[in-house]
Amino acid sequence: FVPKSAGGTGGGLAARDAAGSVLKAQPYLASHAAGSRELVLGLQGEATWLIVDTDKALEPFALNAVCTHLGCVVPWVPAENKFKCPCHGSQYDRNGKVIRGPAPLSLALEHVDVSGDGEIVLSSWKDEDFRTGEMPWWKF
Ligand code: FES
């Protein structure tokens, strides 16, 4: 499923790796396998999961890694195809939709676009959450 992108990169911020370097789409995709999820620095400098889809393209959404229960960073568990919070056991599916509490809400979304010069750009997700059909619970 490919959600509608907001289009454009107005107001976006380049995704950065842990060292603070701006990430470019071409080298990122060349060095990441289909289905990979990797933590990058996202909006407000928060840990954010950047996702390569099964066709080896960037998913048009990234996931804020902060658990909606009490704020632990939620790891991806490839063997189980889900995100599992180590703090109190909440689980999220591959798209960050909450599937087990105590977390009350799904992981927050961010848009992913590629700028004209190839940078991976994140921006606020203000439209409907494609996982729930509801408007975002998160602030942007
Ligand atoms: Fe993630 Fe409590 S902080 S389950």
Side-chain angles (χ1 to χ4, degrees):
F1 176 74
V2 179
K4 187 165 59 95
S5 168
T9 55
L13 194 72
R16 294 175 183 270
D17 64 16
S21 301
V22 169
L23 292 168
K24 294 218 167 194
Q26 199 174 11
Y28 189 87
L29 289 170
S31 60
H32 290 78
S36 79
R37 283 150 172 76
E38 184 171 302
L39 281 175
V40 301
L41 295 179
L43 300 176
Q44 283 95 44
E46 290 188 335
T48 301
W49 288 104
L50 193 60
I51 303 171
V52 178
D53 69 17
T54 50
D55 295 326
K56 221 170 177 308
L58 283 171
E59 283 283 18
F61 64 90
L63 301 169
N64 185 309
V66 176
C67 184
T68 63
H69 180 222
L70 292 175
C72 292
V73 170
V74 183
W76 168 244
V77 182
E80 298 184 40
N81 205 31
K82 60 175 81 157
F83 295 91
K84 294 175 76 173
C85 186
C87 294
H88 314 97
S90 292
Q91 298 184 12
Y92 304 84
D93 74 6
R94 59 195 306 280
N95 292 331
K97 181 177 182 178
V98 66
I99 51 176
R100 184 174 132 178
L105 296 162
S106 299
L107 298 177
L109 296 166
E110 296 174 9
H111 282 289
V112 177
D113 292 286
V114 178
S115 70
D117 57 359
E119 292 179 354
I120 299 172
V121 176
L122 302 171
S123 58
S124 298
W125 187 291
K126 302 179 181 178
D127 29 51
E128 185 180 290
D129 181 338
F130 66 91
R131 303 162 304 182
T132 63
E134 297 172 1
M135 293 309 286
W137 59 263
W138 53 89
K139 305 270 184 285
F140 33 75

